[in-house]
Amino acid sequence: MRFRVSSRIEYEVRSPLVLLLNIRAHASEPQRILKETFTISPKVESELVITEPDKNRFDRVKVTKGGRVRIDYRAEVEVDHRLLGAESLRKVSPAHLDQAQLPYLLPSRYCQSDLFGRFAWQKFGAIKDAYDQVLAITEWIRENVEYIPGTTNSFTSASDTVTQCAGVCRDFAHLGIAICRALNIPARYFTGYAYTLDPPDFHACFEAFIGGYWILFDATRLVPANALVRIGSGRDAADVSLCTAFGILRTLRQDVRCQVVDQKLFQPLTEEELSGTAVSLDIKQT
Amino acid sequence: MRFRVSSRIEYEVRSPLVLLLNIRAHASEPQRILKETFTISPKVESELVITEPDKNRFDRVKVTKGGRVRIDYRAEVEVDHRLLGAESLRKVSPAHLDQAQLPYLLPSRYCQSDLFGRFAWQKFGAIKDAYDQVLAITEWIRENVEYIPGTTNSFTSASDTVTQCAGVCRDFAHLGIAICRALNIPARYFTGYAYTLDPPDFHACFEAFIGGYWILFDATRLVPANALVRIGSGRDAADVSLCTAFGILRTLRQDVRCQVVDQKLFQPLTEEELSGTAVSLDIKQT
Amino acid sequence: MRFRVSSRIEYEVRSPLVLLLNIRAHASEPQRILKETFTISPKVESELVITEPDKNRFDRVKVTKGGRVRIDYRAEVEVDHRLLGAESLRKVSPAHLDQAQLPYLLPSRYCQSDLFGRFAWQKFGAIKDAYDQVLAITEWIRENVEYIPGTTNSFTSASDTVTQCAGVCRDFAHLGIAICRALNIPARYFTGYAYTLDPPDFHACFEAFIGGYWILFDATRLVPANALVRIGSGRDAADVSLCTAFGILRTLRQDVRCQVVDQKLFQPLTEEELSGTAVSLDIKQT
Amino acid sequence: MRFRVSSRIEYEVRSPLVLLLNIRAHASEPQRILKETFTISPKVESELVITEPDKNRFDRVKVTKGGRVRIDYRAEVEVDHRLLGAESLRKVSPAHLDQAQLPYLLPSRYCQSDLFGRFAWQKFGAIKDAYDQVLAITEWIRENVEYIPGTTNSFTSASDTVTQCAGVCRDFAHLGIAICRALNIPARYFTGYAYTLDPPDFHACFEAFIGGYWILFDATRLVPANALVRIGSGRDAADVSLCTAFGILRTLRQDVRCQVVDQKLFQPLTEEELSGTAVSLDIKQT
């Protein structure tokens, strides 16, 4: 499916600073950038930094004086969401994970999986297949956590959410990741553009590593998995923050869009289909 | 029922300090002290302090030099556990609570009811009667929190327990209290001697204010409610700590006992009975 | 000094609920209410509840249907701030505290003094007199915590503030209280009207129990201590919240005023004077 | 300097599980393994996993049945601690960091640098050079945090330590890292063998990225920096845990040793020297 994504963000900065922006679409199989433009006004020096091993694409922007800075990004992206039969996906034991997946088993800033051991095994330990386990986790989250913008902030973590039972996509993802890791299922945070998200915004969900694939899961159920375009992935929101500022800034405006080029071709993956069909935005990992 | 309770505690203190001990049986209706002895070895000055309005009985002990201090307490106590038909107990609206019950609606150190609003209403809000609500809370706790000595410490609070899903009687009580208060049901921490508790120790559970009575609830289900002898009650463990030391001490030994005088007369209240029968260790509050 | 205080608050409520308002001036020596009016529009049933032992005056308001509710309070209050020679105030050992002061040594929801033991003794343990200790605590807070509205919320506690180093009057007070209690100095939260506070608002600071008096301390230094009119006092903000709502409400407007009747007579207590002069808004406790 | 290091660890496992051990000495310049043996008793399958980009060497051990498992590791390691003139080390702006260093600017599970912004800039922001800043951070930690085994556990994080003011090497390191990152200085957790550590044990400290080098800092000051042999480095203790167990195990015994081969040649780096001499256990990063 071909997507047109764009974001226009306007910041006010007080004094020179460096920004690390993470708003470009990812450029790794099965997602290809057909064209893209990235402009900063007023024009300042910037540099594309691609992280290893995740291939996240950061724009490092050197703002040299205070004032307003506007970022404009537009891209056309071809994304081949891979649909997989869920029944074929087996749990990968920590005994067989590659070193690249191991960090995604460990606790991180907002996903304190070390605290969730009993919680996870008690509630989801008896479910046989890993895919069904993670699906049950997302259902539990959706039933127990209310989606309410404004109830959480950038410090909120999975252990806060399990008490406070409210949050936004970021919080839903962090909680899902923490529980997966506690069950020894590698899980990572996913940020992206999302077609049909209303109101339009950047979106976050998570991927669990099952059957050799990073499988997409979205506990918010706000968009179908095949409507997602990857920006980046990491241990949690800290790794793929839309904007990491090494200095003080204020966001004045943020305008995010995501369209499919030929809307007639788009078939949203229904919730029922999800119980049998896994969606991956990555290639098979050996 | 007549109980014989005793505790022998031995501390090592480094230097002079004041201890506030809360180990005496409570002496208010429907609990009467028939006889009691309280001795400190070596002999040091001490004073009985009774708090208002809870009538907790603290021994303030002034240890004047370093070394070992042994506390011996023995009492014979007549306790008339009041059994009440649960169906007759109505929720008391905050509109009709007395000023004495109001503080038990507010968050405290280990019972952060302010964090538990959504959690509580989501899980227990739909249950019609307050007594059934609190019973459901205790059942939820027992199903979701494992009783495992050594997993928590004196800093552990209700919001920790809901993530970590393990704890001891103190943690079970704190979580129950936090949830009750979030539902606008006054709840307080109860410490006591407990007949049939194995291994013998001080015990903690909680009381919820329903139908004009402080009703006993024990999420651990380790002892029947009619086997409890009150030591004290307060907002949480901080208020009725067995020993608040204003200085540094080490506990060397602690030996707690609780017997009924005529064991043949004791009829443990079964779990089934609890669903219809409420137990109160207090008189009706106007 | 005679003060005129007023507050007008407008809430929007969705459905019937009970409010517990704590906005009336305290009516205990050395503070006397000369006249006061309290009106609710539209007119609904309300009741004055005075708590023991703190004599806080709560208005319990029973809102019977959704819509806007406006509260108007006006009072004229005579306040005799007692000025005491700081050098005469001796620390009161826990050995000599009355049962009424003991709860103010214990940790509470937002003042986790149990966590602050080493912190407190390390930084302030060597200071000889209790009054100087508390003054040093307020100076440390003012130097290390920035007063920045909007950085904290109603869940923020002393242990958050010591890491995040920002907050408002409520947070400054909670941190001061936590440190005092860790040093075995009883401390309580104070809310009040404050003359010269700019912009006008309710104010919070704290009282420490020294030399038989509850002495006022304000780590924010935003107003002189003799410009304060007590509303209430408690273990922390939970006990004397401006408004505890047993239901959902939204604050639409809040307008707070505090004037002295004869401004020519008002002599603000300077910061220099504070190092020798303690201010109490309470009578000597036996 | 040539070191002989060894560790013998004995676990009791209940049922089959996978262990990820991180006890081997690192094998990257300027540290070379001259010889090493790694044995497991009873003999079970194991595999050496080397992580990218940190080159940590994990032994993945597949324990196939319950019982005791003993791990024996011995190595002889040549370590060329690089001594650098501190005055030549300039702060590297986030504008010039390589993608490999960027993750070490972000908050992690035990190092919540996002919470420490004001704390860090207030206390250390005015210090001119990055090396002096980090040295000041370690001095602040040593003065404000007491080294007391048993006061913390595996859940303890930097924000706990700053309130509780006690901990062990792990906690000292986490706090140092959190503060560095808040100042935009990349910082990572270091685990190693440590000559002269008494009692002998694994040791933890941290590295800050300054002047193109990962420079060693140890807020505990328990061993000289040139007595350290690297095991691994990561975002915090989660990444380089001595043992990550995917199942339940109990440690029965742990015996760690570190000697220099020719003790006459060892010149401990004094604390005074540290103010001018930086120590690196890594090669210059471009």
Side-chain angles (χ1 to χ4, degrees), chain C residues 50-77:
Chain C
I50 299 175
T51 60
E52 292 298 336
D54 292 320
K55 309 285 184 203
N56 296 325
R57 302 165 78 219
F58 287 91
D59 288 284
R60 176 154 52 186
V61 178
K62 293 156 201 173
V63 180
T64 50
K65 62 177 205 288
R68 299 198 164 196
V69 180
R70 201 178 72 201
I71 315 291
D72 272 292
Y73 175 67
R74 285 165 189 283
E76 199 165 312
V77 191

mmCIF file of all heavy atoms in Angstrom, chain C residues 50-77:
data_model
loop_
_atom_site.group_PDB
_atom_site.id
_atom_site.type_symbol
_atom_site.label_atom_id
_atom_site.label_comp_id
_atom_site.label_asym_id
_atom_site.label_seq_id
_atom_site.Cartn_x
_atom_site.Cartn_y
_atom_site.Cartn_z
ATOM 1 N N ILE C 50 -16.903 20.618 61.756
ATOM 2 C CA ILE C 50 -15.638 21.042 62.368
ATOM 3 C C ILE C 50 -14.894 19.799 62.848
ATOM 4 O O ILE C 50 -15.423 19.003 63.612
ATOM 5 C CB ILE C 50 -15.883 22.031 63.518
ATOM 6 C CG1 ILE C 50 -16.581 23.278 62.951
ATOM 7 C CG2 ILE C 50 -14.565 22.425 64.195
ATOM 8 C CD1 ILE C 50 -16.986 24.288 63.983
ATOM 9 N N THR C 51 -13.678 19.622 62.358
ATOM 10 C CA THR C 51 -12.942 18.392 62.679
ATOM 11 C C THR C 51 -12.223 18.517 64.017
ATOM 12 O O THR C 51 -11.848 19.603 64.442
ATOM 13 C CB THR C 51 -11.895 18.080 61.595
ATOM 14 O OG1 THR C 51 -10.976 19.170 61.515
ATOM 15 C CG2 THR C 51 -12.535 17.851 60.252
ATOM 16 N N GLU C 52 -12.063 17.388 64.628
ATOM 17 C CA GLU C 52 -11.296 17.299 65.872
ATOM 18 C C GLU C 52 -10.011 16.533 65.589
ATOM 19 O O GLU C 52 -10.050 15.567 64.827
ATOM 20 C CB GLU C 52 -12.093 16.551 66.955
ATOM 21 C CG GLU C 52 -13.315 17.280 67.449
ATOM 22 C CD GLU C 52 -13.005 18.612 68.107
ATOM 23 O OE1 GLU C 52 -11.865 18.786 68.586
ATOM 24 O OE2 GLU C 52 -13.888 19.466 68.108
ATOM 25 N N PRO C 53 -8.918 16.887 66.188
ATOM 26 C CA PRO C 53 -8.725 17.976 67.135
ATOM 27 C C PRO C 53 -8.305 19.277 66.468
ATOM 28 O O PRO C 53 -8.048 20.249 67.164
ATOM 29 C CB PRO C 53 -7.575 17.442 67.999
ATOM 30 C CG PRO C 53 -6.749 16.644 67.037
ATOM 31 C CD PRO C 53 -7.703 16.077 66.025
ATOM 32 N N ASP C 54 -8.293 19.310 65.100
ATOM 33 C CA ASP C 54 -7.672 20.455 64.430
ATOM 34 C C ASP C 54 -8.587 21.651 64.243
ATOM 35 O O ASP C 54 -8.146 22.721 63.866
ATOM 36 C CB ASP C 54 -7.126 20.007 63.066
ATOM 37 C CG ASP C 54 -5.957 19.062 63.226
ATOM 38 O OD1 ASP C 54 -5.133 19.321 64.118
ATOM 39 O OD2 ASP C 54 -5.872 18.072 62.480
ATOM 40 N N LYS C 55 -9.886 21.464 64.496
ATOM 41 C CA LYS C 55 -10.861 22.555 64.376
ATOM 42 C C LYS C 55 -10.926 23.129 62.962
ATOM 43 O O LYS C 55 -11.259 24.308 62.796
ATOM 44 C CB LYS C 55 -10.542 23.693 65.366
ATOM 45 C CG LYS C 55 -10.338 23.259 66.804
ATOM 46 C CD LYS C 55 -11.649 22.927 67.473
ATOM 47 C CE LYS C 55 -11.443 22.586 68.959
ATOM 48 N NZ LYS C 55 -12.549 21.770 69.469
ATOM 49 N N ASN C 56 -10.579 22.315 61.957
ATOM 50 C CA ASN C 56 -10.777 22.783 60.590
ATOM 51 C C ASN C 56 -12.262 22.866 60.319
ATOM 52 O O ASN C 56 -13.040 22.051 60.811
ATOM 53 C CB ASN C 56 -10.103 21.833 59.596
ATOM 54 C CG ASN C 56 -8.608 21.796 59.773
ATOM 55 O OD1 ASN C 56 -7.984 22.808 60.094
ATOM 56 N ND2 ASN C 56 -8.012 20.629 59.579
ATOM 57 N N ARG C 57 -12.660 23.852 59.546
ATOM 58 C CA ARG C 57 -14.085 24.098 59.292
ATOM 59 C C ARG C 57 -14.412 23.754 57.839
ATOM 60 O O ARG C 57 -14.094 24.511 56.926
ATOM 61 C CB ARG C 57 -14.414 25.551 59.606
ATOM 62 C CG ARG C 57 -14.084 25.907 61.060
ATOM 63 C CD ARG C 57 -14.057 27.423 61.245
ATOM 64 N NE ARG C 57 -15.385 27.989 61.339
ATOM 65 C CZ ARG C 57 -15.730 29.153 60.790
ATOM 66 N NH1 ARG C 57 -14.860 29.840 60.075
ATOM 67 N NH2 ARG C 57 -16.950 29.611 60.929
ATOM 68 N N PHE C 58 -15.057 22.638 57.659
ATOM 69 C CA PHE C 58 -15.437 22.189 56.332
ATOM 70 C C PHE C 58 -16.902 22.511 56.072
ATOM 71 O O PHE C 58 -17.751 22.308 56.949
ATOM 72 C CB PHE C 58 -15.262 20.667 56.216
ATOM 73 C CG PHE C 58 -13.829 20.232 56.149
ATOM 74 C CD1 PHE C 58 -13.120 19.924 57.307
ATOM 75 C CD2 PHE C 58 -13.179 20.135 54.926
ATOM 76 C CE1 PHE C 58 -11.797 19.526 57.241
ATOM 77 C CE2 PHE C 58 -11.855 19.729 54.854
ATOM 78 C CZ PHE C 58 -11.166 19.431 56.024
ATOM 79 N N ASP C 59 -17.197 22.953 54.876
ATOM 80 C CA ASP C 59 -18.593 23.040 54.466
ATOM 81 C C ASP C 59 -18.895 21.829 53.606
ATOM 82 O O ASP C 59 -18.279 21.633 52.561
ATOM 83 C CB ASP C 59 -18.841 24.327 53.670
ATOM 84 C CG ASP C 59 -18.796 25.534 54.590
ATOM 85 O OD1 ASP C 59 -19.763 25.753 55.323
ATOM 86 O OD2 ASP C 59 -17.752 26.227 54.598
ATOM 87 N N ARG C 60 -19.817 21.043 54.075
ATOM 88 C CA ARG C 60 -20.237 19.870 53.305
ATOM 89 C C ARG C 60 -21.443 20.274 52.473
ATOM 90 O O ARG C 60 -22.513 20.583 53.020
ATOM 91 C CB ARG C 60 -20.572 18.723 54.238
ATOM 92 C CG ARG C 60 -21.097 17.519 53.498
ATOM 93 C CD ARG C 60 -20.839 16.231 54.240
ATOM 94 N NE ARG C 60 -21.305 16.282 55.622
ATOM 95 C CZ ARG C 60 -21.094 15.320 56.512
ATOM 96 N NH1 ARG C 60 -20.419 14.231 56.166
ATOM 97 N NH2 ARG C 60 -21.541 15.421 57.748
ATOM 98 N N VAL C 61 -21.275 20.269 51.174
ATOM 99 C CA VAL C 61 -22.286 20.799 50.264
ATOM 100 C C VAL C 61 -22.866 19.656 49.452
ATOM 101 O O VAL C 61 -22.135 18.860 48.875
ATOM 102 C CB VAL C 61 -21.634 21.844 49.322
ATOM 103 C CG1 VAL C 61 -22.656 22.381 48.331
ATOM 104 C CG2 VAL C 61 -21.008 22.983 50.131
ATOM 105 N N LYS C 62 -24.185 19.562 49.464
ATOM 106 C CA LYS C 62 -24.846 18.483 48.735
ATOM 107 C C LYS C 62 -25.453 19.020 47.446
ATOM 108 O O LYS C 62 -26.549 19.573 47.450
ATOM 109 C CB LYS C 62 -25.924 17.844 49.622
ATOM 110 C CG LYS C 62 -25.295 17.114 50.812
ATOM 111 C CD LYS C 62 -26.241 16.972 51.985
ATOM 112 C CE LYS C 62 -25.433 16.735 53.264
ATOM 113 N NZ LYS C 62 -26.235 16.753 54.486
ATOM 114 N N VAL C 63 -24.731 18.858 46.368
ATOM 115 C CA VAL C 63 -25.204 19.350 45.079
ATOM 116 C C VAL C 63 -26.140 18.296 44.509
ATOM 117 O O VAL C 63 -25.761 17.138 44.355
ATOM 118 C CB VAL C 63 -24.024 19.605 44.127
ATOM 119 C CG1 VAL C 63 -24.520 20.118 42.780
ATOM 120 C CG2 VAL C 63 -23.029 20.576 44.757
ATOM 121 N N THR C 64 -27.358 18.717 44.241
ATOM 122 C CA THR C 64 -28.378 17.713 43.904
ATOM 123 C C THR C 64 -28.609 17.544 42.415
ATOM 124 O O THR C 64 -29.336 16.655 41.998
ATOM 125 C CB THR C 64 -29.721 18.073 44.574
ATOM 126 O OG1 THR C 64 -29.991 19.450 44.262
ATOM 127 C CG2 THR C 64 -29.634 17.893 46.074
ATOM 128 N N LYS C 65 -28.045 18.437 41.615
ATOM 129 C CA LYS C 65 -28.155 18.200 40.169
ATOM 130 C C LYS C 65 -26.980 18.822 39.425
ATOM 131 O O LYS C 65 -26.283 19.709 39.943
ATOM 132 C CB LYS C 65 -29.489 18.737 39.640
ATOM 133 C CG LYS C 65 -29.712 20.219 39.782
ATOM 134 C CD LYS C 65 -31.052 20.569 39.124
ATOM 135 C CE LYS C 65 -31.099 22.006 38.677
ATOM 136 N NZ LYS C 65 -31.202 22.941 39.791
ATOM 137 N N GLY C 66 -26.711 18.349 38.232
ATOM 138 C CA GLY C 66 -25.602 18.853 37.427
ATOM 139 C C GLY C 66 -25.775 20.321 37.081
ATOM 140 O O GLY C 66 -26.874 20.880 37.201
ATOM 141 N N GLY C 67 -24.666 20.959 36.681
ATOM 142 C CA GLY C 67 -24.719 22.361 36.305
ATOM 143 C C GLY C 67 -23.623 23.143 37.005
ATOM 144 O O GLY C 67 -22.666 22.580 37.518
ATOM 145 N N ARG C 68 -23.787 24.451 37.051
ATOM 146 C CA ARG C 68 -22.784 25.304 37.679
ATOM 147 C C ARG C 68 -23.106 25.543 39.143
ATOM 148 O O ARG C 68 -24.266 25.684 39.518
ATOM 149 C CB ARG C 68 -22.736 26.658 36.981
ATOM 150 C CG ARG C 68 -22.367 26.526 35.526
ATOM 151 C CD ARG C 68 -21.895 27.847 34.971
ATOM 152 N NE ARG C 68 -21.205 27.600 33.725
ATOM 153 C CZ ARG C 68 -20.407 28.456 33.129
ATOM 154 N NH1 ARG C 68 -20.183 29.636 33.696
ATOM 155 N NH2 ARG C 68 -19.813 28.155 31.997
ATOM 156 N N VAL C 69 -22.088 25.584 39.932
ATOM 157 C CA VAL C 69 -22.245 25.871 41.356
ATOM 158 C C VAL C 69 -21.252 26.965 41.699
ATOM 159 O O VAL C 69 -20.064 26.856 41.382
ATOM 160 C CB VAL C 69 -21.935 24.626 42.209
ATOM 161 C CG1 VAL C 69 -22.114 24.938 43.689
ATOM 162 C CG2 VAL C 69 -22.802 23.456 41.795
ATOM 163 N N ARG C 70 -21.734 28.020 42.339
ATOM 164 C CA ARG C 70 -20.823 29.097 42.710
ATOM 165 C C ARG C 70 -20.775 29.222 44.218
ATOM 166 O O ARG C 70 -21.812 29.229 44.888
ATOM 167 C CB ARG C 70 -21.273 30.422 42.101
ATOM 168 C CG ARG C 70 -20.096 31.411 42.027
ATOM 169 C CD ARG C 70 -20.526 32.699 41.393
ATOM 170 N NE ARG C 70 -21.371 33.422 42.326
ATOM 171 C CZ ARG C 70 -22.234 34.367 41.950
ATOM 172 N NH1 ARG C 70 -22.378 34.672 40.679
ATOM 173 N NH2 ARG C 70 -22.963 34.984 42.862
ATOM 174 N N ILE C 71 -19.595 29.294 44.742
ATOM 175 C CA ILE C 71 -19.396 29.430 46.182
ATOM 176 C C ILE C 71 -18.846 30.831 46.434
ATOM 177 O O ILE C 71 -17.895 31.250 45.784
ATOM 178 C CB ILE C 71 -18.329 28.416 46.681
ATOM 179 C CG1 ILE C 71 -18.547 27.020 46.088
ATOM 180 C CG2 ILE C 71 -18.236 28.424 48.189
ATOM 181 C CD1 ILE C 71 -19.758 26.308 46.575
ATOM 182 N N ASP C 72 -19.440 31.519 47.369
ATOM 183 C CA ASP C 72 -18.927 32.844 47.755
ATOM 184 C C ASP C 72 -18.659 32.862 49.247
ATOM 185 O O ASP C 72 -19.567 32.614 50.046
ATOM 186 C CB ASP C 72 -19.957 33.935 47.431
ATOM 187 C CG ASP C 72 -19.804 34.452 46.037
ATOM 188 O OD1 ASP C 72 -18.788 35.109 45.764
ATOM 189 O OD2 ASP C 72 -20.702 34.159 45.218
ATOM 190 N N TYR C 73 -17.443 33.174 49.595
ATOM 191 C CA TYR C 73 -17.121 33.272 51.022
ATOM 192 C C TYR C 73 -16.471 34.615 51.265
ATOM 193 O O TYR C 73 -15.601 35.054 50.505
ATOM 194 C CB TYR C 73 -16.170 32.141 51.421
ATOM 195 C CG TYR C 73 -15.698 32.252 52.843
ATOM 196 C CD1 TYR C 73 -16.578 32.083 53.908
ATOM 197 C CD2 TYR C 73 -14.364 32.541 53.132
ATOM 198 C CE1 TYR C 73 -16.154 32.202 55.222
ATOM 199 C CE2 TYR C 73 -13.928 32.660 54.434
ATOM 200 C CZ TYR C 73 -14.823 32.493 55.484
ATOM 201 O OH TYR C 73 -14.397 32.607 56.779
ATOM 202 N N ARG C 74 -16.893 35.258 52.322
ATOM 203 C CA ARG C 74 -16.303 36.534 52.736
ATOM 204 C C ARG C 74 -16.194 36.538 54.248
ATOM 205 O O ARG C 74 -17.117 36.098 54.922
ATOM 206 C CB ARG C 74 -17.206 37.712 52.385
ATOM 207 C CG ARG C 74 -17.213 38.075 50.967
ATOM 208 C CD ARG C 74 -18.365 38.997 50.608
ATOM 209 N NE ARG C 74 -18.365 39.082 49.166
ATOM 210 C CZ ARG C 74 -17.494 39.833 48.487
ATOM 211 N NH1 ARG C 74 -16.610 40.588 49.127
ATOM 212 N NH2 ARG C 74 -17.519 39.828 47.166
ATOM 213 N N ALA C 75 -15.098 37.038 54.736
ATOM 214 C CA ALA C 75 -14.968 37.110 56.194
ATOM 215 C C ALA C 75 -14.067 38.262 56.596
ATOM 216 O O ALA C 75 -13.219 38.706 55.821
ATOM 217 C CB ALA C 75 -14.407 35.798 56.749
ATOM 218 N N GLU C 76 -14.309 38.717 57.796
ATOM 219 C CA GLU C 76 -13.382 39.669 58.399
ATOM 220 C C GLU C 76 -12.834 38.957 59.635
ATOM 221 O O GLU C 76 -13.585 38.415 60.442
ATOM 222 C CB GLU C 76 -14.115 40.967 58.766
ATOM 223 C CG GLU C 76 -13.154 42.119 58.946
ATOM 224 C CD GLU C 76 -13.875 43.471 58.938
ATOM 225 O OE1 GLU C 76 -14.706 43.713 58.021
ATOM 226 O OE2 GLU C 76 -13.625 44.258 59.860
ATOM 227 N N VAL C 77 -11.534 38.957 59.730
ATOM 228 C CA VAL C 77 -10.878 38.092 60.709
ATOM 229 C C VAL C 77 -9.836 38.885 61.485
ATOM 230 O O VAL C 77 -9.041 39.616 60.890
ATOM 231 C CB VAL C 77 -10.164 36.915 60.002
ATOM 232 C CG1 VAL C 77 -9.713 35.867 61.004
ATOM 233 C CG2 VAL C 77 -11.065 36.288 58.942
#
